[in-house]
Amino acid sequence: MRLSRLIAVTLAGAAVVPPLAACSSDEPAPGKVPQAATSAPASAEPTDEPDLHPFTGKPATGLKPVLAVKIENTAAGKPQLGLKSADIVYVEQVEAGLTRLMAIFSSKLPPKVGPVRSARISDLHIVPQFGKPAFAYSGAQTKMLPFIAQASLWDVSDSRAPGAYFRQPGRIAPYNLFANTKELLAKAPKASKAKDIGLAFGDAPAEGGVDKKSYTVRWPGARFTFAWSEEKKQWLIWQDGKKDMAAEGGQQSAPTVVVQYTKTERSQFHDKNQSYTPLVHSVGKGSAVVLRDGKAYKARWERKSEEEGTTFTTESGEPMNFAPGQVWIALASRKPVTP
């Protein structure tokens, strides 16, 4: 049974995502003549140009299995380890208006990653676009376990692959659970390899971007600010007014940040304090803001089904190219669900 069908039966109030409203006034003006995604000309002759990784747009000699990991994102769990090696980092709202991350690894694999935390229902809607990836997490609500069992993923949680996990000295539980990535993938030998999920990489649109020194995104209980560094050619990341530092050293950053506005509503799941788990609808269509090269671009996103990836286009319908490298995708909402 497909996850979407199972959820449709059991989730009250779940709805198809409608088109979202136009971007708010703090977003950049629409583009005029965007530049299309770059691609190699058709030729029967062999080329010496390397293939590009579908998640990063960087040269890749071969495509490797996909590992998705749920990672803590409150002050108690920082600094996080391994995020700098991720191809894609999703920011998702969870209970109490806070956020949690899902990091996607394939082109690079850090030796260790964490703190690893529990899964949420929104994760199960995101992962099918990767085929059947390995999914690392540390537990879930009992009534959510049937959904995980039906989802398109290989379960390498701490209960299914306990030998891959360890407690990091100097940290307090539950924020001290880390995992060895090679051991996680060893428990999912048939995990899907990286494939095209709709992302385009290449030159930025010729027009339409508005210069931005920083851009702030808010959830009910969290705030991210992405600030452009001309020296590093990266968007440096702040969370709740503080630099988001990495355990490996340095500040978290990415050459491309996508603020993807989605419909978010309450699911049937809630914590012991009766704070409801948000259900983020990542299938559908809506507006987005793409940050790259010190500019912000208005964009549109569309994902037709859970098995398909998400495409991002300029307002005129051309592919919205990302800068090669890591991509952060903040799944935000213009009307955040009340915790």
Side-chain angles (χ1 to χ4, degrees):
M1 179 183 295
R2 287 181 53 192
L3 172 67
S4 56
R5 184 180 302 170
L6 183 57
I7 292 177
V9 173
T10 55
L11 279 182
V16 177
V17 183
L20 297 181
C23 293
S24 59
S25 58
D26 64 339
E27 295 176 8
K32 297 179 180 179
V33 188
Q35 181 172 325
T38 57
S39 60
S43 173
E45 297 180 3
T47 175
D48 293 331
E49 292 185 7
D51 291 332
L52 301 181
H53 199 282
F55 298 169
T56 65
K58 287 192 168 185
T61 56
L63 299 181
K64 301 176 182 178
V66 179
L67 170 65
V69 185
K70 280 310 296 287
I71 297 179
E72 173 65 25
N73 196 43
T74 62
K78 293 180 180 287
Q80 299 118 323
L81 179 65
L83 281 181
K84 283 197 165 188
S85 297
D87 295 329
I88 305 170
V89 179
Y90 289 94
V91 184
E92 305 173 52
Q93 184 183 335
V94 291
E95 299 81 12
L98 300 173
T99 59
R100 191 161 287 181
L101 307 180
M102 181 162 65
I104 306 298
F105 300 92
S106 184
S107 68
K108 292 189 294 184
L109 198 63
K112 302 174 183 178
V113 65
V116 181
R117 294 303 307 276
S118 54
R120 294 294 186 273
I121 192 64
S122 297
D123 305 332
L124 307 187
H125 290 280
I126 295 173
V127 294
Q129 66 186 307
F130 299 101
K132 194 173 181 180
F135 182 45
Y137 64 98
S138 60
Q141 293 184 24
T142 301
K143 63 181 180 181
M144 203 181 101
L145 296 180
F147 296 90
I148 296 176
Q150 294 292 332
S152 181
L153 57 85
W154 293 100
D155 188 337
V156 291
S157 61
D158 58 341
S159 62
R160 294 298 185 94
Y165 292 81
F166 64 95
R167 297 288 177 178
Q168 179 71 31
R171 300 214 185 195
I172 300 173
Y175 311 107
N176 61 350
L177 185 66
F178 287 68
N180 294 298
T181 55
K182 287 186 178 179
E183 293 185 29
L184 290 173
L185 284 177
K187 294 295 183 179
K190 295 183 180 180
S192 297
K193 293 183 179 180
K195 63 175 184 176
D196 180 13
I197 58 167
L199 306 184
F201 297 88
D203 295 338
E207 297 183 28
V210 173
D211 290 338
K212 280 285 182 181
K213 292 184 178 179
S214 66
Y215 195 94
T216 298
V217 186
R218 291 178 174 84
W219 290 263
R223 182 177 82 254
F224 273 77
T225 297
F226 304 97
W228 177 249
S229 169
E230 184 64 28
E231 177 185 0
K232 297 181 180 296
K233 303 296 182 184
Q234 299 265 321
W235 294 92
L236 303 179
I237 300 173
W238 271 259
Q239 186 175 349
D240 300 325
K242 298 180 180 180
K243 289 183 177 180
D244 196 359
M245 306 302 292
E248 301 95 317
Q251 191 171 354
Q252 304 283 5
S253 64
T256 303
V257 175
V258 180
V259 183
Q260 181 180 345
Y261 289 102
T262 65
K263 179 182 178 181
T264 304
E265 60 186 359
R266 287 184 175 187
S267 73
Q268 66 166 313
F269 304 102
H270 55 77
D271 64 17
K272 62 182 179 182
N273 299 317
Q274 299 302 306
S275 180
Y276 280 82
T277 301
L279 174 60
V280 179
H281 290 272
S282 56
V283 174
K285 60 177 66 176
S287 62
V289 174
V290 176
L291 306 176
R292 60 163 298 176
D293 303 327
K295 293 180 180 291
Y297 296 85
K298 268 189 169 183
R300 304 293 299 176
W301 67 269
E302 182 173 6
R303 185 178 174 208
K304 295 181 179 180
S305 71
E306 291 185 353
E307 292 75 22
E308 297 181 65
T310 306
T311 56
F312 294 89
T313 57
T314 63
E315 292 207 310
S316 62
E318 298 295 326
M320 179 65 239
N321 291 344
F322 296 170
Q326 187 182 73
V327 179
W328 278 59
I329 300 178
L331 297 172
S333 177
R334 299 193 187 283
K335 295 181 180 180
V337 64
T338 303

